[in-house]
């Protein structure tokens, strides 16, 4: 499991419909984190626990505090492209990404683990064409792996 975590002053995710219209499905309107989460084939509960703990406890907010310390929100968006293989040619391979039937419940489990810690979590919509808007604060962007 991988997560790209960005410290943000605010962020939102919209679903883009076939007719081009958009609907905001998740947003955080104050400083917190945006977590793009990708799942590979052999991920399970141990990886969920590790990624959720790291997101909750990373001391990257102001004053070296975590979202758990601050009561700050997290926007979680599934991102299968984190497992793209770009070593050969110009067309990425998606073979490293778990299929939706495996990935969706694990991304949902990360969200639930964060909520169990009392963290406010907004989400995107799994498998949808999404548009993510954010203001990266710092900028601070980290790659987490479990």
């Amino acid at each position: 499991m991988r997560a790209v975590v960005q410290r943000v002053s605010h962020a939102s995710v919209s679903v883009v419909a076939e007719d081009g219209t958009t609907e905001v499905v998740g947003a955080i309107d104050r400083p917190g984190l945006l977590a793009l989460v990708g799942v590979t084939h052999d991920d399970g509960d141990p990886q969920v626990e590790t990624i959720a703990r790291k997101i909750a406890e990373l001391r990257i907010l102001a004053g070296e505090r975590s979202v758990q310390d601050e009561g700050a929100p997290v926007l979680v968006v599934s991102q299968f492209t984190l497992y793209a293989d770009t070593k050969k040619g110009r067309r990425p391979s998606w073979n490293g990404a778990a299929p939706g039937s495996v990935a969706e419940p694990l991304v949902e489990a990360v969200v639930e683990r964060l909520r169990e810690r009392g963290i406010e979590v907004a989400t995107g919509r799994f498998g949808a064409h999404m548009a993510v808007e954010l203001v990266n604060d710092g900028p601070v962007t980290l790659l987490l792996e479990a």
Side-chain angles (χ1 to χ4, degrees), residues 6 9-10 18 24-25 27 29 48 50 56-57 62 65 69 72-73 79 81 88 90 92 97 102 107 114 118 128:
Q6 297 179 296
S9 58
H10 62 274
E18 288 184 22
V24 175
V25 294
D29 58 1
V48 166
T50 298
E57 297 177 2
R65 295 179 53 84
D69 296 334
Q79 183 96 29
T81 61
K88 295 182 181 177
R90 297 175 292 152
V102 172
V107 172
L114 291 169

Side-chain angles (χ1 to χ4, degrees), residues 130-144:
M130 293 177 278
V132 179
E133 294 185 35
L134 67 133
V135 174
N136 191 325
D137 179 22
V140 175
T141 301
L142 302 171
L143 174 62
L144 308 179

Side-chain angles (χ1 to χ4, degrees), residues 23-36:
E23 170 195 1
V24 175
V25 294
I28 58 174
D29 58 1
R30 62 186 198 278
L33 299 178
L34 167 64
L36 306 172

